[in-house]
Amino acid sequence: TPTTRTQRHDPNDTNPTTRTQRHEPNDRKVLIVTFYGSNFGTCLQNYALTTELNLLGFDAWSLYNINRNKPPFSIISLAKRAVKKFLALLGVKKYKKIPVSEREKKFIGFRNKYLNKEIFISAKEVQNPENKILFQGFKYVIAGSDMIWGNFSGTVDELKYYHLDFVEPEKRITYAPSFSFANFVFELVDERKILLSKFKKISCREKSGCDMIKKITGLNAQHVLDPTMLFNAEHYRKMAKRPLFEIPEHYALIYLSLDGFPLSKQREYKQIVKAVSEGLGVIDLYCNSSFSFSSEGYAKYTGPEEFLWLIDHADHVITNSFHGTAFSIIFHKKFICMDRSTSYDTMKINDVLSTFGISHRKYNNDAIIPEGEINYISVEEKLNSMREISINYLRECLNVNSGFF
């Protein structure tokens, strides 16, 4: 049975009780299909698109590919928890400092405040005809944003889910979805081509993604901004919170994933971080790195609002995250972008840097630190132009300019 919720819930409860609710037809209700999780970018892009839709006069809800009714603990999850407790007893700092649930509480608190209209139903469940009644009350369903268009090899349920196969074609639109691969999986190209062709309107977060859609479908997808970039720095400053942990007066903010890199590349990145942050404190926000760039477990104390504050007040940002890059641009920060271990993740960072004419801020794996100032007057001109294009695309998709209200 799928579940929905509109009520606030206890931030100490990471798997809240929800209530079933039928959605009556309403021309102002729209549904966003995106990811759910304790990731800064995932949470903030969901917030941003929800907020923009609400500003356009709609009642925005979110749909997540989660089965809230399955048992909260599996044998595998219990085994992982036991291993982490054992490592904490051995004194491993990553697991000793503070329970991961503290970070989760901050994300739940953020969702309580900004994203409290949610539906939880898995990709498999959504195909059940009895469950489709949930979506009859929505005027439009929106795919995006984030990397929801994955490499669904052998996972047809999820392929259909994130291409909105469970609602009528006239309801299907997209806003800034992104591909989690550089090339289409051969055995699913035909299925994807059919699904993409059924959207009322189609867009993509990256220019490279628009090119991929054109290649297999012949359709001209609109290149639009990530939802987070629809708003300026002042908007986010009103939400931002200073973290409770001790913060150096001047610091470099490190938001780097080292996952998948060989040890030699990790050492190279650490040397670059050391050189860039010379004379500064260091705050490392990536909790899954093979090793930390700072001694404290800052990531475990940081939620979306603290993340915004830390980027805004940093002297320098070093990142290989798409949203780390996006917010560095929004807050006009001095920053350096570095590669990810996967080509498609790196491609997305290259894409956003190219869009705003600041590709010189990319580290080119040559042990030379990128130099040169960022002309934020020029960046803002490009950003405002893209905001107008992106919001006009949304208005057109939602028929805002055709007497809808």
Side-chain angles (χ1 to χ4, degrees), residues 78 141 150 173 196 198 209 230 246 278 287 291 315 328 363 387:
L78 289 171
V141 182
I173 60 177
L196 287 170
K198 290 183 178 180
L230 296 175
E246 186 176 348
E278 185 176 1
C287 58
F291 57 81
D315 291 76
S328 294
Y363 172 66
R387 281 176 180 147

PDB file of all heavy atoms in Angstrom, residues 78 141 150 173 196 198 209 230 246 278 287 291 315 328 363 387:
ATOM      1  N   LEU A  78      21.277  -4.839   9.242  1.00  0.00           N
ATOM      2  CA  LEU A  78      21.677  -5.149  10.620  1.00  0.00           C
ATOM      3  C   LEU A  78      23.146  -5.550  10.685  1.00  0.00           C
ATOM      4  O   LEU A  78      23.866  -5.177  11.621  1.00  0.00           O
ATOM      5  CB  LEU A  78      20.789  -6.268  11.173  1.00  0.00           C
ATOM      6  CG  LEU A  78      19.335  -5.884  11.466  1.00  0.00           C
ATOM      7  CD1 LEU A  78      18.521  -7.134  11.798  1.00  0.00           C
ATOM      8  CD2 LEU A  78      19.272  -4.898  12.619  1.00  0.00           C
ATOM      9  N   VAL A 141       2.611  15.770 -13.999  1.00  0.00           N
ATOM     10  CA  VAL A 141       3.657  15.038 -13.262  1.00  0.00           C
ATOM     11  C   VAL A 141       4.981  15.393 -13.923  1.00  0.00           C
ATOM     12  O   VAL A 141       5.112  15.346 -15.154  1.00  0.00           O
ATOM     13  CB  VAL A 141       3.410  13.515 -13.289  1.00  0.00           C
ATOM     14  CG1 VAL A 141       4.486  12.797 -12.479  1.00  0.00           C
ATOM     15  CG2 VAL A 141       2.027  13.193 -12.725  1.00  0.00           C
ATOM     16  N   GLY A 150      18.759   7.024 -14.971  1.00  0.00           N
ATOM     17  CA  GLY A 150      19.925   6.180 -14.730  1.00  0.00           C
ATOM     18  C   GLY A 150      20.171   5.181 -15.833  1.00  0.00           C
ATOM     19  O   GLY A 150      19.432   5.082 -16.812  1.00  0.00           O
ATOM     20  N   ILE A 173       5.703  15.822 -18.119  1.00  0.00           N
ATOM     21  CA  ILE A 173       6.676  16.831 -18.517  1.00  0.00           C
ATOM     22  C   ILE A 173       7.970  16.582 -17.739  1.00  0.00           C
ATOM     23  O   ILE A 173       8.005  15.768 -16.806  1.00  0.00           O
ATOM     24  CB  ILE A 173       6.165  18.266 -18.284  1.00  0.00           C
ATOM     25  CG1 ILE A 173       5.845  18.507 -16.803  1.00  0.00           C
ATOM     26  CG2 ILE A 173       4.961  18.566 -19.146  1.00  0.00           C
ATOM     27  CD1 ILE A 173       5.401  19.921 -16.520  1.00  0.00           C
ATOM     28  N   LEU A 196      10.719   8.517 -23.999  1.00  0.00           N
ATOM     29  CA  LEU A 196      11.065   9.926 -24.161  1.00  0.00           C
ATOM     30  C   LEU A 196      10.114  10.616 -25.138  1.00  0.00           C
ATOM     31  O   LEU A 196       9.757  11.787 -24.949  1.00  0.00           O
ATOM     32  CB  LEU A 196      12.507  10.063 -24.660  1.00  0.00           C
ATOM     33  CG  LEU A 196      13.612   9.767 -23.636  1.00  0.00           C
ATOM     34  CD1 LEU A 196      14.975   9.704 -24.320  1.00  0.00           C
ATOM     35  CD2 LEU A 196      13.627  10.825 -22.535  1.00  0.00           C
ATOM     36  N   LYS A 198       7.061  10.270 -25.492  1.00  0.00           N
ATOM     37  CA  LYS A 198       5.713  10.442 -24.956  1.00  0.00           C
ATOM     38  C   LYS A 198       5.583  11.633 -24.012  1.00  0.00           C
ATOM     39  O   LYS A 198       4.486  11.902 -23.501  1.00  0.00           O
ATOM     40  CB  LYS A 198       5.253   9.165 -24.247  1.00  0.00           C
ATOM     41  CG  LYS A 198       4.996   8.003 -25.209  1.00  0.00           C
ATOM     42  CD  LYS A 198       4.465   6.784 -24.475  1.00  0.00           C
ATOM     43  CE  LYS A 198       4.154   5.640 -25.450  1.00  0.00           C
ATOM     44  NZ  LYS A 198       3.633   4.445 -24.759  1.00  0.00           N
ATOM     45  N   GLY A 209      23.265  16.275 -22.197  1.00  0.00           N
ATOM     46  CA  GLY A 209      22.066  15.443 -22.112  1.00  0.00           C
ATOM     47  C   GLY A 209      21.076  15.746 -23.224  1.00  0.00           C
ATOM     48  O   GLY A 209      20.451  14.846 -23.790  1.00  0.00           O
ATOM     49  N   LEU A 230      17.761  28.488  -9.917  1.00  0.00           N
ATOM     50  CA  LEU A 230      16.660  29.398 -10.211  1.00  0.00           C
ATOM     51  C   LEU A 230      16.582  30.525  -9.189  1.00  0.00           C
ATOM     52  O   LEU A 230      15.906  31.533  -9.418  1.00  0.00           O
ATOM     53  CB  LEU A 230      15.331  28.639 -10.236  1.00  0.00           C
ATOM     54  CG  LEU A 230      15.171  27.585 -11.333  1.00  0.00           C
ATOM     55  CD1 LEU A 230      13.865  26.830 -11.148  1.00  0.00           C
ATOM     56  CD2 LEU A 230      15.244  28.205 -12.720  1.00  0.00           C
ATOM     57  N   GLU A 246      32.549  24.248  16.076  1.00  0.00           N
ATOM     58  CA  GLU A 246      33.504  25.357  16.007  1.00  0.00           C
ATOM     59  C   GLU A 246      33.986  25.543  14.567  1.00  0.00           C
ATOM     60  O   GLU A 246      34.366  24.588  13.893  1.00  0.00           O
ATOM     61  CB  GLU A 246      34.690  25.089  16.927  1.00  0.00           C
ATOM     62  CG  GLU A 246      35.654  26.258  17.029  1.00  0.00           C
ATOM     63  CD  GLU A 246      36.766  26.004  18.032  1.00  0.00           C
ATOM     64  OE1 GLU A 246      36.653  25.029  18.808  1.00  0.00           O
ATOM     65  OE2 GLU A 246      37.742  26.776  18.023  1.00  0.00           O
ATOM     66  N   GLU A 278      46.401  26.496   2.238  1.00  0.00           N
ATOM     67  CA  GLU A 278      47.511  26.959   3.079  1.00  0.00           C
ATOM     68  C   GLU A 278      47.131  28.255   3.790  1.00  0.00           C
ATOM     69  O   GLU A 278      46.658  29.205   3.178  1.00  0.00           O
ATOM     70  CB  GLU A 278      48.757  27.184   2.229  1.00  0.00           C
ATOM     71  CG  GLU A 278      49.991  27.544   3.048  1.00  0.00           C
ATOM     72  CD  GLU A 278      51.242  27.660   2.197  1.00  0.00           C
ATOM     73  OE1 GLU A 278      51.152  27.480   0.959  1.00  0.00           O
ATOM     74  OE2 GLU A 278      52.316  27.925   2.768  1.00  0.00           O
ATOM     75  N   CYS A 287      31.502  12.732   3.855  1.00  0.00           N
ATOM     76  CA  CYS A 287      31.664  11.749   4.933  1.00  0.00           C
ATOM     77  C   CYS A 287      32.074  10.367   4.438  1.00  0.00           C
ATOM     78  O   CYS A 287      32.421   9.510   5.235  1.00  0.00           O
ATOM     79  CB  CYS A 287      30.378  11.644   5.746  1.00  0.00           C
ATOM     80  SG  CYS A 287      28.924  11.186   4.788  1.00  0.00           S
ATOM     81  N   PHE A 291      39.715   8.888   2.998  1.00  0.00           N
ATOM     82  CA  PHE A 291      40.313   9.541   4.155  1.00  0.00           C
ATOM     83  C   PHE A 291      39.799  10.974   4.181  1.00  0.00           C
ATOM     84  O   PHE A 291      39.392  11.529   3.170  1.00  0.00           O
ATOM     85  CB  PHE A 291      41.840   9.510   4.102  1.00  0.00           C
ATOM     86  CG  PHE A 291      42.455  10.130   2.879  1.00  0.00           C
ATOM     87  CD1 PHE A 291      42.615  11.498   2.784  1.00  0.00           C
ATOM     88  CD2 PHE A 291      42.868   9.341   1.819  1.00  0.00           C
ATOM     89  CE1 PHE A 291      43.176  12.084   1.660  1.00  0.00           C
ATOM     90  CE2 PHE A 291      43.426   9.913   0.693  1.00  0.00           C
ATOM     91  CZ  PHE A 291      43.580  11.277   0.598  1.00  0.00           C
ATOM     92  N   ASP A 315      36.264  30.849   2.474  1.00  0.00           N
ATOM     93  CA  ASP A 315      37.221  31.646   1.702  1.00  0.00           C
ATOM     94  C   ASP A 315      37.501  30.989   0.358  1.00  0.00           C
ATOM     95  O   ASP A 315      37.791  31.669  -0.624  1.00  0.00           O
ATOM     96  CB  ASP A 315      38.531  31.783   2.485  1.00  0.00           C
ATOM     97  CG  ASP A 315      38.376  32.642   3.723  1.00  0.00           C
ATOM     98  OD1 ASP A 315      37.811  32.159   4.729  1.00  0.00           O
ATOM     99  OD2 ASP A 315      38.810  33.799   3.689  1.00  0.00           O
ATOM    100  N   SER A 328      28.621  27.222  -5.278  1.00  0.00           N
ATOM    101  CA  SER A 328      29.796  28.095  -5.322  1.00  0.00           C
ATOM    102  C   SER A 328      29.550  29.234  -6.306  1.00  0.00           C
ATOM    103  O   SER A 328      29.929  30.388  -6.052  1.00  0.00           O
ATOM    104  CB  SER A 328      31.038  27.296  -5.726  1.00  0.00           C
ATOM    105  OG  SER A 328      31.373  26.342  -4.749  1.00  0.00           O
ATOM    106  N   TYR A 363      40.481  21.927 -12.404  1.00  0.00           N
ATOM    107  CA  TYR A 363      41.804  21.332 -12.253  1.00  0.00           C
ATOM    108  C   TYR A 363      41.987  20.272 -13.341  1.00  0.00           C
ATOM    109  O   TYR A 363      41.150  19.382 -13.500  1.00  0.00           O
ATOM    110  CB  TYR A 363      41.937  20.693 -10.867  1.00  0.00           C
ATOM    111  CG  TYR A 363      43.201  19.892 -10.672  1.00  0.00           C
ATOM    112  CD1 TYR A 363      44.441  20.512 -10.669  1.00  0.00           C
ATOM    113  CD2 TYR A 363      43.150  18.514 -10.494  1.00  0.00           C
ATOM    114  CE1 TYR A 363      45.614  19.777 -10.490  1.00  0.00           C
ATOM    115  CE2 TYR A 363      44.304  17.770 -10.313  1.00  0.00           C
ATOM    116  CZ  TYR A 363      45.531  18.411 -10.312  1.00  0.00           C
ATOM    117  OH  TYR A 363      46.689  17.681 -10.148  1.00  0.00           O
ATOM    118  N   ARG A 387      17.960  31.719 -16.288  1.00  0.00           N
ATOM    119  CA  ARG A 387      16.790  31.691 -15.399  1.00  0.00           C
ATOM    120  C   ARG A 387      15.526  32.044 -16.174  1.00  0.00           C
ATOM    121  O   ARG A 387      14.478  31.406 -16.017  1.00  0.00           O
ATOM    122  CB  ARG A 387      16.989  32.664 -14.237  1.00  0.00           C
ATOM    123  CG  ARG A 387      17.874  32.139 -13.129  1.00  0.00           C
ATOM    124  CD  ARG A 387      18.107  33.179 -12.062  1.00  0.00           C
ATOM    125  NE  ARG A 387      18.965  32.653 -11.000  1.00  0.00           N
ATOM    126  CZ  ARG A 387      19.834  33.384 -10.301  1.00  0.00           C
ATOM    127  NH1 ARG A 387      19.969  34.681 -10.558  1.00  0.00           N
ATOM    128  NH2 ARG A 387      20.576  32.822  -9.364  1.00  0.00           N
TER     129      ARG A 387
END
